[in-house]
Amino acid sequence: MELSCKSEYALLALIALSLHHAKGEPIRICQISAEQGIPDRYLEQLLATLRRGGFVKSQRGAKGGYLLTREPWKITLLDIVSCIEGFEAKAKELKSPQTVEGAVVCDLWKEVRQAAESVLEKCTLQDLVDNRNARQQIDLMYYI
Amino acid sequence: MELSCKSEYALLALIALSLHHAKGEPIRICQISAEQGIPDRYLEQLLATLRRGGFVKSQRGAKGGYLLTREPWKITLLDIVSCIEGFEAKAKELKSPQTVEGAVVCDLWKEVRQAAESVLEKCTLQDLVDNRNARQQIDLMYYI
DNA sequence: ATTATATCCCGGTTCTACGGTGGGGATTGT
DNA sequence: ACAATCCCCACCGTAGAACCGGGATATAAT
């Protein structure tokens, strides 16, 4: 389970897409990258991965951009992170332990991974958006 | 939180040290590396890190080797992994988020990390050793 | 004292992934 | 036609992982 900058960028982009999702209009890469401070050419790659993962669809040409394919509450964060971090993580698991000690540590690893994944599994993209809106309310109160 | 091969090697080495801990005799690097299938020169580096972290002490010269400095039940796995994966992980936290969305994702990251760390925190080196012994019993039963 | 044994410490090498950049091509609304 | 926008492929620099060598140093046995 990796929690790299990559996954963070992907979540930020999907939050941005969720916020505009009601309108039904596509959002441009450069718009997201400007709002969230993500290098646009890098974001492009991540959105391509998310598109292949079936989370977003793209519309090419003028007035084009990206759209969510599903409602934000139908996407768990584990789905997203798994897509971004790739499936070669599964390949790493395949190295079956040769010793008793190796098996014990392997079990421990699975337990830790499970703990992390359960957090991501319980949380949907909509939950993140709700958190964002709640936090923005708080910030506004301080501003007044 | 990284769960790399590095940490796995370190845990295996410390399990091996725990198993021989009662005798009070030091164990050589080459013995551990042979038992656990760890490249000896690499293991040397990891044991040096663990020594600087205060988990093991070394005895140089003939009949030398490594020894645990504390009892296995006084060492949590979080202690070990934190020592091995380094403290620059804390530096990564320092990048305070610039946007509301960034803050939300940062909170999520902390939550995931906390979940993983709590698993490691609850488990001591002795627990690992006990698991190992229990598993070996099972293997023996199948063998008979 | 000498020697064998072991760690210690310095360095180098190879490989992979991450974060990021660039160029050219395909598609689409106006 | 044209501009806007995504698509694809390739590249670069850096960092860390995993690993290897060589020599210095400390210790025990002789």
Side-chain angles (χ1 to χ4, degrees):
Chain A
M1 180 61 45
E2 301 292 315
L3 294 181
S4 59
C5 187
K6 245 170 118 174
S7 296
E8 187 168 341
Y9 285 166
L11 289 183
L12 291 175
L14 289 174
I15 291 174
L17 287 174
S18 300
L19 288 172
H20 297 79
H21 183 239
K23 298 185 198 167
E25 299 170 354
I27 317 175
R28 283 163 291 151
I29 285 179
C30 67
Q31 187 176 343
I32 300 174
S33 77
E35 281 177 14
Q36 302 296 331
I38 305 172
D40 53 351
R41 308 301 257 107
Y42 192 44
L43 179 59
E44 182 188 315
Q45 291 177 36
L46 301 180
L47 282 171
T49 303
L50 291 173
R51 181 173 50 83
R52 285 188 285 269
F55 299 97
V56 299
K57 59 187 169 187
S58 61
Q59 185 172 336
R60 303 171 76 166
K63 292 270 181 181
Y66 282 90
L67 291 152
L68 284 183
T69 55
R70 297 182 246 161
E71 307 298 324
W73 53 85
K74 291 181 181 171
I75 305 176
T76 78
L77 302 191
L78 181 58
D79 293 335
I80 301 167
V81 172
S82 299
C83 171
I84 286 295
E85 303 297 345
F87 310 101
E88 71 280 8
K90 287 193 175 182
K92 285 188 178 178
E93 311 278 3
L94 292 181
K95 51 169 181 179
S96 55
Q98 310 297 332
T99 65
V100 188
E101 293 81 12
V104 169
V105 174
C106 187
D107 282 355
L108 172 71
W109 257 218
K110 284 179 188 163
E111 200 180 337
V112 172
R113 189 187 180 88
Q114 180 58 42
E117 287 184 351
S118 73
V119 173
L120 293 174
E121 203 169 17
K122 291 195 194 91
C123 194
T124 71
L125 191 50
Q126 183 66 48
D127 294 333
L128 271 196
V129 172
D130 292 344
N131 283 356
R132 184 214 100 110
N133 291 336
R135 184 182 278 265
Q136 202 172 45
Q137 285 300 324
I138 294 171
D139 290 356
L140 279 175
M141 283 170 58
Y142 276 105
Y143 184 73
I144 295 167
Chain B
M1 180 63 43
E2 299 293 314
L3 294 181
S4 60
C5 187
K6 246 170 118 174
S7 296
E8 186 168 344
Y9 285 167
L11 289 183
L12 291 174
L14 289 174
I15 290 174
L17 286 175
S18 300
L19 289 172
H20 297 79
H21 183 239
K23 298 185 197 166
E25 299 170 355
I27 317 174
R28 282 164 293 153
I29 286 180
C30 65
Q31 188 175 344
I32 300 174
S33 77
E35 282 177 15
Q36 302 297 330
I38 305 173
D40 52 351
R41 308 302 255 110
Y42 192 43
L43 179 58
E44 182 189 318
Q45 292 176 32
L46 301 180
L47 282 171
T49 303
L50 291 174
R51 181 174 50 83
R52 284 188 286 268
F55 298 97
V56 300
K57 59 187 169 187
S58 63
Q59 184 172 336
R60 301 173 77 163
K63 293 270 181 181
Y66 283 89
L67 292 150
L68 283 184
T69 54
R70 297 182 247 162
E71 306 299 324
W73 52 86
K74 292 181 183 173
I75 304 176
T76 77
L77 303 190
L78 181 57
D79 294 335
I80 301 167
V81 173
S82 300
C83 171
I84 286 293
E85 303 296 346
F87 311 101
E88 71 280 9
K90 287 194 175 181
K92 285 188 179 179
E93 312 278 2
L94 292 181
K95 52 168 181 177
S96 54
Q98 310 297 333
T99 65
V100 188
E101 292 80 11
V104 169
V105 174
C106 186
D107 282 356
L108 173 72
W109 257 217
K110 284 180 188 163
E111 198 179 339
V112 172
R113 189 186 180 89
Q114 179 58 42
E117 287 184 351
S118 74
V119 173
L120 293 174
E121 203 169 18
K122 290 196 195 91
C123 194
T124 72
L125 192 49
Q126 184 65 49
D127 295 334
L128 271 195
V129 172
D130 292 344
N131 283 357
R132 184 214 101 110
N133 291 336
R135 183 181 279 265
Q136 201 172 46
Q137 285 301 323
I138 293 172
D139 290 356
L140 279 175
M141 285 172 58
Y142 275 106
Y143 183 75
I144 295 167

